């Protein structure tokens, strides 16, 4: 049975991916260190669907602990590296040390442990944050990355590490640059989760800026599918944009969620936060051509699923 490692397996994308791989019959090892960025109770709940599965094993530990990690890597054929310290706004100041440790150092340790192994694919979860305020929309992978947040800097540095281990050791890396993933189990600090919770609770939702900022939103099932396609591709040493196929403003999202929840959302507009970009939009032509990736979930349908999940 093919053996797969998923780091960040208790997180938003990682738990969905692990669940899908287990359902497909793969032998999956999940790793997560339960940082204090958000409640560990949420991560524990994310793992509930995997409890009792004979082909899933979970280990709570830091990737940076190379000696303890080493035992988990025996026989691993595919690695999905989703573990990271998330969040643009929290990455400034002294917090940057945590981002360096959990994003850059963790990636380097994992690559170092795998450099002489017969691993068939190393799939790294990157971010549209590497582009910063891209001059051209939609943004192609050839666009020079210019991150405007420390978080984006750590993601770009991790990409460079992946590319270095591909060039020097032949580690078959594929980097997926996610454009704002949403859906059930989305992290509580992310916008859609906060808007839906504000609608349900009647609390005020704070918008940083005028609400006209736009994002290319990617539904979780599409993000998971992108990983599966990356697993099968012959491509290596490449980065791919993974987007939802269209961009929409935050104000438009709020209107959709008001309709879906039948609630009026109280909005408080505040100053733009450092590191936030005005617009994102993925040119996914490269992923379409090479990975055969095609987003299938429309924003209204994806939001409906997330609202139903949050209500539960």
């Amino acid at each position: 049975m093919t053996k797969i490692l998923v780091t960040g397996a208790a997180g938003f994308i990682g738990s969905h991916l692990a669940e899908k791989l287990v359902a497909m019959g793969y032998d999956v090892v999940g790793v997560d260190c339960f940082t204090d960025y958000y409640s560990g109770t949420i991560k524990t709940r994310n793992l509930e669907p995997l409890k009792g599965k004979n082909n899933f094993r979970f280990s709570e530990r830091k990737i940076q602990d190379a000696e303890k990690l080493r035992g988990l890597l025996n026989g691993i054929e595919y690695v999905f590296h989703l573990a990271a310290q998330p969040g643009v706004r929290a990455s400034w100041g002294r917090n940057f040390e945590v981002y360096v440790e959990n994003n850059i150092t963790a990636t380097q340790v994992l690559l170092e442990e795998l450099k002489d192994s017969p691993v068939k694919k190393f799939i790294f979860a990157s971010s549209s944050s590497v582009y910063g305020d891209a001059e051209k929309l939609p943004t192609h992978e050839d666009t020079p990355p210019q991150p405007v947040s420390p978080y984006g800097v750590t993601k770009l540095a991790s990409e460079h590490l992946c590319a270095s281990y591909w060039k020097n050791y032949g580690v078959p890396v594929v980097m997926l640059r996610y454009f704002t993933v949403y859906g059930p189990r989305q992290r509580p600090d992310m916008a859609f989760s906060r808007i839906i919770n504000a609608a349900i609770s009647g609390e005020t939702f704070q918008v940083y800026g005028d609400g006209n900022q736009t994002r290319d939103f990617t539904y979780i099932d599409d993000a998971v599918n992108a990983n599966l396609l990356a697993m099968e591709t012959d491509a290596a040493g490449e980065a791919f944009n993974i987007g939802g196929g269209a961009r929409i403003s935050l104000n438009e999202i709020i209107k959709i969620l008001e309709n879906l929840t039948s609630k009026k959302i109280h909005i408080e507009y505040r100053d733009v936060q450092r590191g936030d970009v005005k617009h994102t939009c993925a040119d996914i032509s490269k992923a379409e051509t090479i990975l055969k990736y095609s987003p299938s979930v429309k924003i209204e349908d994806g939001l409906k699923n997330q609202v139903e999940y949050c209500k539960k």
Side-chain angles (χ1 to χ4, degrees), residues 285-299:
S285 59
K286 182 179 178 182
E288 288 176 325
T289 301
I290 298 177
L291 300 183
K292 308 305 178 187
Y293 168 75
S294 178
S296 61
V297 181
K298 295 182 179 180
I299 188 72

Side-chain angles (χ1 to χ4, degrees), residues 259-277:
N259 289 331
L260 289 173
T261 60
S262 300
K263 300 281 188 179
K264 178 65 178 177
I265 300 172
H266 304 286
I267 305 297
E268 177 186 352
Y269 290 94
R270 307 191 69 178
D271 292 340
V272 176
Q273 295 288 288
R274 292 181 177 87
D276 284 354
V277 300

Side-chain angles (χ1 to χ4, degrees), residues 28-48:
V28 179
V29 177
V31 176
D32 203 297
C33 70
F34 284 75
T35 65
D36 59 1
Y37 185 78
Y38 61 94
S39 171
T41 302
I42 294 173
K43 286 194 168 187
T44 300
R45 186 167 64 236
N46 290 345
L47 290 172
E48 282 293 327

Side-chain angles (χ1 to χ4, degrees), residues 223-277:
V224 168
N225 187 47
N227 277 271
L228 300 178
L229 293 169
M231 177 182 174
E232 298 298 331
T233 185
D234 292 330
E238 299 275 1
F240 296 93
N241 290 336
I242 304 300
R247 65 186 176 114
I248 187 171
S249 73
L250 185 56
N251 285 333
E252 291 176 283
I253 291 292
I254 291 170
K255 289 179 182 178
I256 294 172
L257 288 173
E258 285 181 331
N259 289 331
L260 289 173
T261 60
S262 300
K263 300 281 188 179
K264 178 65 178 177
I265 300 172
H266 304 286
I267 305 297
E268 177 186 352
Y269 290 94
R270 307 191 69 178
D271 292 340
V272 176
Q273 295 288 288
R274 292 181 177 87
D276 284 354
V277 300

Side-chain angles (χ1 to χ4, degrees), residues 159-175:
E159 280 196 17
H160 287 322
L161 280 169
C162 288
S164 295
Y165 277 84
W166 157 241
K167 182 175 179 61
N168 291 280
Y169 291 98
V171 179
V173 300
V174 172
M175 296 156 281

Side-chain angles (χ1 to χ4, degrees), residues 5 70 73-79 110-122 165 169-172:
L5 175 72
R70 203 164 292 148
L73 297 178
N74 291 332
I76 291 291
E77 295 181 56
Y78 296 91
V79 174
L110 187 55
L111 287 165
E112 185 69 18
E113 289 299 313
L114 291 165
K115 69 182 182 183
D116 297 318
S117 76
V119 64
K120 294 179 179 178
K121 196 72 68 181
F122 182 101
Y165 277 84
Y169 291 98
V171 179

